[in-house]
């Protein structure tokens, strides 16, 4: 039996929804808060690989792998690519199961000291971070079969001053989706942009120092605006960074041009 019974999470991940904290908004945390009691102990939770598989993913007799399909939406898309939930926010996880008899689902947190789940309708639930750490979000159908299981990371937000220090301490920000532009932050509100651009003034190699200024703070992001002429030529207006420093969005007059992560993530 094929053990890769993991669920299709939409056809692509090109939509890293800019919808943190209940859909209102597009690192390592510098805090040293203790998370000893909240961390996942190991990949298989102390079980053998076979025991883990049989507990969570073994198919009932007569079932086929495709019957386990679970489509996800809303903030659960971000979580599936390891975007952390931020303390002080609430999130909506959306999902849709593939078979008719799965209309009565159960959603749960493996550790409610890390985050709590409240189902508000079939296919939708609200997730509230409680404490920095890691735990699993699980969807089970009315046959008590696990249809989806995802590690959820919860982090404390950085202050504005800590974010500025953090940006300059990251070796570079690596593009994952969209324009292949690397960003390397200097001090004094400067950032080096290098790579290949396809927007704005046309396809071209890029290597220049941009200047930026603080624009605004939302519940889960810090947002900055570019102030130099070269960025304007490429239609880049600025960048947004999540308050825990794990995702950055290069913004243009057309929307999100690139999604970046700190080097090594």
């Amino acid at each position: 039996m094929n053990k890769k019974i993991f669920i299709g999470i939409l056809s692509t991940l090109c939509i890293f929804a800019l919808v943190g904290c209940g859909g209102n908004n597009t690192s390592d945390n510098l805090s040293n808060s203790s998370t000893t009691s909240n961390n996942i102990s190991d990949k298989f939770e102390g079980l053998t690989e076979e025991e883990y598989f049989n507990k969570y993913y073994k198919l009932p007799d007569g079932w086929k792998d495709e019957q386990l399909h679970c489509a996800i939406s809303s903030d659960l898309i971000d979580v599936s690519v390891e975007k952390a939930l931020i303390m002080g926010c609430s999130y909506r996880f959306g999902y849709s199961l593939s078979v008719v008899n799965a209309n009565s689902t159960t959603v749960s947190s493996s550790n409610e000291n890390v985050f709590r789940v409240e189902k508000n309708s079939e296919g939708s639930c609200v997730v509230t971070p409680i404490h920095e750490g890691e735990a699993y979000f699980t969807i089970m159908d009315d046959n008590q079969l696990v249809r989806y299981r995802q590690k959820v990371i919860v982090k404390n937000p950085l202050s504005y001053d800590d974010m500025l220090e953090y940006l300059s301490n990251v070796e570079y920000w690596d593009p994952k989706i969209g324009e292949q532009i690397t960003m390397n932050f200097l001090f004094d509100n400067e950032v080096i942009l290098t790579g290949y651009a396809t927007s704005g003034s046309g396809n071209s190699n890029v290597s220049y120092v941009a200047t930026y200024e603080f624009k605004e703070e939302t519940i889960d992001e810090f947002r900055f605006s570019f102030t130099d002429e070269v960025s304007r030529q490429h239609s880049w207006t600025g960048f947004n960074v999540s308050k825990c420093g794990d995702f950055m969005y290069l913004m243009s007059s057309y929307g999100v041009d690139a999604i970046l992560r700190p080097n090594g993530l």
Side-chain angles (χ1 to χ4, degrees):
M1 180 182 295
N2 181 9
K3 293 187 180 182
K4 295 183 178 178
I5 312 175
F6 284 89
I7 309 91
I9 53 174
L10 304 181
S11 56
T12 68
L13 290 176
C14 61
I15 307 176
F16 277 57
L18 304 183
V19 290
C21 292
N24 294 322
N25 298 290
T26 35
S27 104
D28 291 332
N29 197 308
L30 297 184
S31 165
N32 290 320
S33 354
S34 173
T35 60
T36 304
S37 62
N38 297 323
N39 288 331
I40 298 171
S41 59
D42 56 62
K43 182 177 180 181
F44 299 113
E45 301 178 340
L47 304 174
T48 67
E49 183 174 0
E50 183 175 0
E51 289 171 338
Y52 185 87
F53 168 72
N54 288 336
K55 180 178 180 180
Y56 292 115
Y57 300 109
K58 188 174 182 179
L59 287 171
D61 291 341
W63 281 51
K64 298 180 180 179
D65 289 359
E66 56 267 23
Q67 288 179 276
L68 285 183
H69 178 70
C70 175
I72 63 173
S73 59
S74 305
D75 297 315
L76 189 50
I77 297 176
D78 291 340
V79 171
S80 73
V81 291
E82 299 184 343
K83 185 174 183 180
L85 306 186
I86 298 173
M87 291 290 300
C89 297
S90 63
Y91 299 83
R92 191 180 80 82
F93 286 7
Y95 58 92
S96 176
L97 304 187
S98 59
V99 294
V100 177
N101 67 341
N103 290 329
S104 180
T105 56
T106 301
V107 293
S108 63
S109 167
S110 65
N111 187 344
E112 292 195 343
N113 291 322
V114 177
F115 70 88
R116 293 176 184 167
V117 182
E118 182 180 354
K119 184 178 176 182
N120 52 14
S121 64
E122 187 60 44
S124 179
C125 58
V126 175
V127 175
T128 304
I130 302 300
H131 191 280
E132 188 178 54
E134 297 177 352
Y136 279 111
F137 170 74
T138 301
I139 303 170
M140 298 183 71
D141 64 20
D142 55 357
N143 294 311
Q144 295 302 297
L145 181 67
V146 171
R147 305 296 296 277
Y148 187 85
R149 188 166 167 83
Q150 174 65 50
K151 182 174 75 173
V152 176
I153 303 167
V154 174
K155 289 190 175 183
N156 292 317
L158 298 176
S159 68
Y160 176 73
D161 289 338
D162 284 343
M163 177 59 73
L164 294 182
E165 180 181 355
Y166 173 73
L167 288 175
S168 60
N169 286 337
V170 173
E171 184 179 1
Y172 63 88
W173 289 76
D174 190 25
K176 299 298 182 181
I177 291 178
E179 295 278 30
Q180 293 303 294
I181 302 297
T182 297
M183 299 176 68
N184 185 351
F185 284 81
L186 308 173
F187 294 101
D188 299 323
N189 289 51
E190 292 183 334
V191 55
I192 302 172
L193 278 74
T194 56
Y196 188 77
T198 60
S199 61
S201 56
N203 298 354
S204 61
N205 291 315
V206 169
S207 183
Y208 73 99
V209 177
T211 56
Y212 63 90
E213 63 184 8
F214 176 72
K215 178 183 178 182
E216 62 182 348
E217 177 180 353
T218 70
I219 194 170
D220 66 341
E221 288 182 344
F222 291 110
R223 297 178 176 180
F224 300 86
S225 298
F226 289 129
T227 57
D228 61 282
E229 184 58 35
V230 177
S231 295
R232 293 192 185 97
Q233 291 174 4
H234 290 288
S235 300
W236 293 328
T237 57
F239 58 93
N240 304 341
V241 58
S242 67
K243 280 190 174 179
C244 62
D246 57 350
F247 278 82
M248 180 179 290
Y249 306 94
L250 177 62
M251 307 300 294
S252 76
S253 53
Y254 308 105
V256 180
D257 264 18
I259 299 171
L260 305 91
R261 301 204 68 185
N263 176 39
L265 289 184

